[in-house]
Amino acid sequence: MPTPKKPLPKKTSPKKSPSGSTKPSSRKPLVYGAVIVAAAALLGFASYKATAPGDSSATSTAPAAEVSADPQAGVYPELTKLARRDAGDKLAVGRADAPVVLIEYADFKCGYCGKFARDTEPELIKEYVEDGTLRIEWRNFPIFGEESENAARASWAAGQQDRFWEFHAAAYAEGAKEKGFGKDRIKALAQQAGVKDLARFMKDLDGPDARAAVAKDQEQGYGIGATSTPSFLINGRPIAGAQPKETFTQAIETAAAQAKTTGKAGATGNAGSSAK
């Protein structure tokens, strides 16, 4: 299926991001091989349809994801390899050997992402992460300019002090993004999240390691054809937008059943846990 050629909004295509990355429209998907051409086209199109371009505060309503009764339908095995399953990952929650991995590509200035973080993600954690079925891996995918980059690097810096998820909750609280993510605001959010060494935090968020980590996540997102946030992969199944909880529930349960059938319930070499 050819990739739909849709124009990206100006604010999602900065000429040069603070981390040194080029604009999203210059990114070429499929860096993970020709076998995921269809997946990249699907996610790119679904992401565009599910997220109203130019409006970072809206709520996704487009039916951008369907989960077939066939557990293999809509699943791209190459995409399952993007799960890091690193027990030491500060930006992940759940067992490293969980049968299902949900990868989330998100921006802290994205209204859809905030809706998912507040309304859906806590329920998925309670129902599936806590019983060992699901692991959630975060990928910073800032597309709304300098403040998005600030927040992305800040989340990574908070994670170095084991406060990523607390920062995540503070940054996605109702009304938080409207206050912006300038440096003073970022510092206040870190303090709210319980980051103990604020001096180290401020140094880390502007350091080369934070920039490299965010750039790595961005490259992965662009590489699979994502153009908007949030975008998800659930065991190789692309889902775009803050879809209803039922879409995620069905995808997780289908993936878990498939993993049980095939015996592929995670990478035991990285077994462990990374919890909030």
Side-chain angles (χ1 to χ4, degrees):
M1 181 176 74
T3 304
K5 294 183 178 179
K6 295 281 189 177
L8 290 176
K10 285 187 177 181
K11 70 176 179 179
T12 65
S13 303
K15 189 173 184 179
K16 200 77 169 178
S17 72
S19 66
S21 62
T22 55
K23 61 183 179 180
S25 59
S26 70
R27 299 288 182 170
K28 295 181 180 179
L30 321 181
V31 295
Y32 301 103
V35 293
I36 65 163
V37 171
L42 170 65
L43 186 55
F45 179 67
S47 181
Y48 183 91
K49 292 290 288 182
T51 310
D55 182 0
S56 63
S57 63
T59 300
S60 176
T61 56
E66 289 186 19
V67 182
S68 168
D70 179 355
Q72 299 286 5
V75 174
Y76 299 87
E78 281 296 307
L79 296 181
T80 65
K81 299 176 183 178
L82 299 183
R84 292 170 184 163
R85 293 186 177 278
D86 178 0
D89 188 348
K90 304 288 190 180
L91 277 60
V93 59
R95 292 181 57 86
D97 62 349
V100 183
V101 177
L102 182 156
I103 303 174
E104 177 184 1
Y105 301 86
D107 184 316
F108 284 103
K109 283 184 68 68
C110 163
Y112 289 95
C113 305
K115 178 176 175 57
F116 176 79
R118 292 188 300 271
D119 298 347
T120 304
E121 193 166 39
E123 294 188 21
L124 297 181
I125 289 172
K126 183 176 181 180
E127 292 180 29
Y128 298 107
V129 173
E130 291 181 1
D131 74 0
T133 299
L134 179 68
R135 174 178 176 82
I136 298 176
E137 296 187 356
W138 171 270
R139 303 286 189 267
N140 274 304
F141 195 52
I143 61 174
F144 292 112
E146 182 178 356
E147 288 199 353
S148 289
E149 294 272 354
N150 285 344
R153 295 197 309 273
S155 74
W156 182 90
Q160 303 317 293
Q161 298 187 49
D162 298 314
R163 284 294 183 271
F164 168 77
W165 290 103
E166 289 79 4
F167 182 91
H168 175 278
Y172 276 138
E174 195 74 55
K177 75 180 182 65
E178 284 76 15
K179 297 179 181 179
F181 294 115
K183 290 297 178 66
D184 288 344
R185 175 65 179 152
I186 287 293
K187 186 175 182 180
L189 287 170
Q191 191 169 22
Q192 181 180 336
V195 174
K196 292 184 178 180
D197 190 339
L198 291 176
R200 175 192 167 190
F201 167 81
M202 295 302 290
K203 182 179 179 180
D204 284 349
L205 78 87
D206 278 330
D209 290 344
R211 293 178 185 277
V214 171
K216 181 179 180 180
D217 287 354
Q218 284 178 314
E219 290 288 349
Q220 189 178 98
Y222 293 134
I224 62 171
T227 60
S228 302
T229 52
S231 291
F232 305 90
L233 296 176
I234 298 180
N235 276 21
R237 182 191 301 277
I239 294 177
Q243 299 295 324
K245 179 193 169 187
E246 291 71 23
T247 297
F248 293 96
T249 296
Q250 190 175 353
I252 291 166
E253 293 184 354
T254 299
Q258 179 68 5
K260 185 175 181 180
T261 299
T262 62
K264 296 179 180 178
T268 55
N270 288 327
S273 65
S274 177
K276 284 189 178 183

